[in-house]
Each structure stands twice: as C-alpha cells, then as structure tokens.
Amino acid sequence: MVTFSLERTVPLPLDETWRRLTEWPRHGEAVPLTRVRVRTAPPTRTGTVVVARTGLGPLAFDDTMEVTVWEPPGDGTPGRCRLQKRGRVVGGWAEIEVRPGPGGRTRVLWREDLRVRPLPGAFDGVLRGAGRFVFGRAVNRLLRQE
C-alpha cells in the first residue's frame, strides 16, 4: 500500500475547481486508457458509485469507488470528497479537497492511498511514483479543461 499527495494552486474560483475535479466521467478523458461511468443516479452524494475501467481488452480492470464523504464548498468554505476504492484489484481511498487560496485562487489537495492487490510490497516505490505521475497529469488536465 502506498500513500501520496498532490497540491496545486489554480486561478479558478472554488466552485469551478470543485466542479472540474468531481465530474467523474471527465476523469476518463484525463487518465490514459480509462473510461469512467457513474453507476448511481445524479447528483453526486454520499453513496454514489463510480467505476473507472482501465486497460485494453482482457488486460483491463475496474477501479470501483464509493463516495463516503461529500462536502461541496460553499461561500468561501472548503470542500472535501472521499472515495473508498472497493475493487477486487485496486483498494485504498482517494480524497479531494479544495480551499480558498491567495488572490481569489483555489488550493487543491489530492491524497491517495493506493493498493494494487497482485503487487507485492517490493513494488511500492514504483507504484508511488507511477501514481504521482499519472494522477498529477490527470489533475492538471482536469483543472485546465472546460
């Protein structure tokens, strides 16, 4: 199991940053070889189930996540979302937090606790580096795209 975090400060309002990071199907556009679908009816709330299918053909796997904390930002107050990973291959959790930053910008904190079940602990360093790289690029894309 590996844990990593990413921090960004973006020139976007708090609510727009939140919207871009929590429109789950957009994550499929930002993560290579991944499609994302929401299994539950909108809007997102505690109990929403999101499935990210990553890979090609028979080498694909599902990363099934359930929203366990859903606290959207409001009038300058921070927002936080926690997803519990419940898949057979991928376990752990992810947390997205947005808070007011300097000069009307928004601070983003993305924390991830990632477990890939077939991988032994000897691969933790590689998994941590790959996770930071892949999710770092995805967060950047989500925050740049409309």
Side-chain angles (χ1 to χ4, degrees):
M1 184 178 313
V2 301
T3 303
F4 61 90
S5 62
L6 307 163
E7 293 184 45
R8 304 287 188 269
T9 300
V10 295
L12 297 169
L14 198 59
D15 59 343
E16 176 63 12
T17 303
W18 177 261
R19 183 191 68 77
R20 290 183 187 198
L21 292 172
T22 61
E23 282 188 358
W24 309 120
R26 293 182 69 236
H27 286 240
E29 300 166 14
V31 178
L33 303 173
T34 301
R35 288 178 300 136
V36 177
R37 62 185 165 75
V38 180
R39 280 193 188 162
T40 48
T44 297
R45 63 194 174 287
T46 299
T48 293
V49 176
V50 179
V51 180
R53 180 142 184 97
T54 301
L56 293 171
L59 300 178
F61 62 92
D62 289 341
D63 180 2
T64 303
M65 298 164 274
E66 180 181 347
V67 175
T68 58
V69 174
W70 181 253
E71 300 167 352
D75 294 336
T77 61
R80 186 170 70 102
C81 174
R82 184 177 176 101
L83 299 138
Q84 190 68 40
K85 296 174 174 285
R86 303 197 187 283
R88 289 183 298 148
V89 175
V90 181
W93 50 264
E95 248 182 29
I96 302 166
E97 186 176 316
V98 298
R99 54 182 52 253
R105 296 180 297 179
T106 298
R107 296 275 303 146
V108 174
L109 178 57
W110 180 295
R111 291 182 291 266
E112 187 112 11
D113 182 83
L114 186 60
R115 188 173 358 122
V116 179
R117 287 184 173 85
L119 290 180
F123 288 92
D124 284 358
V126 172
L127 184 59
R128 183 177 293 108
R132 284 184 56 79
F133 177 77
V134 169
F135 287 105
R137 287 180 55 117
V139 168
N140 292 345
R141 284 191 72 189
L142 290 167
L143 293 171
R144 273 196 314 263
Q145 295 174 348
E146 283 288 327

